[in-house]
Amino acid sequence: MFGRTWQHDVLRKYVILFGTLFNDIYINRDDNNGEKIQSLRIPLTYGPKEKFLARLDGDPTLENKVAIVLPRMSFEMLALEYDATRKLNTLNRLTKQRADAGTDDEVTYQYQPVPYDIIFQMSIMAKNAEDGTRIIEQILPYFTPDFTVSLNLVNEVDDPRDVPLILTGVTVEDSYEGMFDQRRALIWTLNFTMKGWLYGPSKNSKLIKNVLTTFKLANTPATASAANTANTVVISTRPGLTANGTPTTNAAASLDYADIKSTDNYGFITDFTENI
């Protein structure tokens, strides 16, 4: 778009983050004496719950070997919503020094990312109520109501972000087929909002090594303007480094600023030029 092509795969990383949080849940099944007889890892897949419910239609009793096995979990990304409350100055830059060969004096930068809320929905399907509650009880205590993870979303810049995942609602429903005493599936639905960011293209630029700041001083401030003010003060700031690698503030003892790298241990040379 606008003549540039780039990819950061940020949305893919958000989906992976969400799935990683819930892909290692186990439940135990006990006998009448309270002894553990089975430990189950709950499968987690990406997709809407309707897809799995349709699979159940072929085998309501869950006895066919090709039928879906319960309990299981699924999730999907439902929507993206712009979040104006987290908007920062668009012109703020995120930078990182380039590490490529011959690029010591270049940086990679990009402008402030755009805040978006990413809506996720997770469904937990169980054949009996006990399996469902044991899964739910391993999830809910971590959300109060948010769980925050730190991510470095874009490799081109150093910008680790705290990404909160907020639990916004929990509902439960029973699906029946035939008589009311024939339970088909118990479904828990958890709704989440992830406070994410979307990034624009990265760009490269040269490091600034010499800064000139000019102040214009007026004799009569009431009528002064840039055109009729001749009194000026110019401040020059640049890095200072001697030939043996010692930082310095002495311009006469320093190498040319163009020969000083950003990774050197340099000092600062400040010169004042007045025309008053």
Side-chain angles (χ1 to χ4, degrees):
M1 187 173 181
F2 300 121
R4 295 188 63 88
T5 300
W6 76 93
Q7 60 185 41
H8 301 307
D9 292 330
V10 173
L11 289 176
R12 180 176 180 270
K13 294 174 183 177
Y14 289 138
V15 173
I16 293 174
L17 167 62
F18 188 93
T20 301
L21 291 176
F22 303 103
N23 71 348
D24 196 29
I25 295 179
Y26 289 79
I27 61 171
N28 297 326
R29 288 178 174 168
D30 306 329
D31 59 18
N32 294 334
N33 297 322
E35 299 292 334
K36 183 177 72 172
I37 60 175
Q38 187 180 26
S39 180
L40 297 176
R41 181 175 181 177
I42 310 304
L44 176 66
T45 54
Y46 185 89
K49 65 180 179 181
E50 288 79 12
K51 174 181 177 181
F52 301 99
L53 291 177
R55 179 73 180 273
L56 289 174
D57 288 339
D59 181 34
T61 62
L62 306 179
E63 294 176 352
N64 194 318
K65 292 184 179 180
V66 300
I68 189 172
V69 178
L70 298 184
R72 69 183 304 116
M73 301 164 60
S74 68
F75 73 97
E76 62 176 328
M77 182 173 62
L78 297 181
L80 286 85
E81 300 175 355
Y82 178 73
D83 186 0
T85 61
R86 294 186 288 131
K87 174 71 169 63
L88 300 177
N89 190 337
T90 304
L91 297 181
N92 288 346
R93 288 190 179 188
L94 312 173
T95 62
K96 180 180 181 180
Q97 183 178 342
R98 295 189 61 184
D100 309 14
T103 59
D104 294 330
D105 295 334
E106 293 186 5
V107 294
T108 299
Y109 74 92
Q110 59 181 214
Y111 292 104
Q112 189 72 38
V114 182
Y116 269 86
D117 290 346
I118 307 168
I119 311 302
F120 286 94
Q121 184 179 86
M122 185 171 68
S123 299
I124 301 171
M125 290 155 282
K127 187 178 180 181
N128 54 68
E130 188 176 65
D131 287 348
T133 54
R134 287 184 175 181
I135 297 172
I136 285 292
E137 289 177 4
Q138 294 185 58
I139 296 175
L140 299 189
Y142 289 99
F143 294 88
T144 57
D146 65 279
F147 182 84
T148 301
V149 179
S150 182
L151 291 177
N152 193 10
L153 295 165
V154 180
N155 296 328
E156 288 85 346
V157 295
D158 288 324
D159 184 43
R161 298 259 171 175
D162 288 337
V163 180
L165 181 62
I166 303 172
L167 178 63
T168 58
V170 180
T171 59
V172 60
E173 63 175 312
D174 287 337
S175 298
Y176 294 92
E177 180 174 293
M179 301 301 293
F180 281 102
D181 61 346
Q182 296 177 349
R183 176 170 293 172
R184 177 184 173 188
L186 181 68
I187 304 173
W188 291 82
T189 301
L190 285 68
N191 297 310
F192 296 89
T193 298
M194 183 179 289
K195 297 290 186 177
W197 304 83
L198 297 181
Y199 290 75
S202 300
K203 302 178 182 179
N204 297 324
S205 67
K206 292 288 185 179
L207 288 174
I208 298 174
K209 295 185 177 182
N210 189 21
V211 179
L212 297 176
T213 305
T214 301
F215 296 93
K216 291 184 175 290
L217 308 176
N219 293 327
T220 55
T223 60
S225 67
N228 62 20
T229 300
N231 303 325
T232 60
V233 175
V234 179
I235 302 175
S236 171
T237 305
R238 59 188 184 276
L241 186 69
T242 64
N244 61 5
T246 303
T248 182
T249 59
N250 185 356
S254 175
L255 299 171
D256 186 273
Y257 65 83
D259 297 326
I260 302 175
K261 298 181 179 180
S262 61
T263 55
D264 292 333
N265 181 24
Y266 52 83
F268 290 94
I269 300 172
T270 303
D271 293 330
F272 296 85
T273 303
E274 298 180 350
N275 180 23
I276 298 178

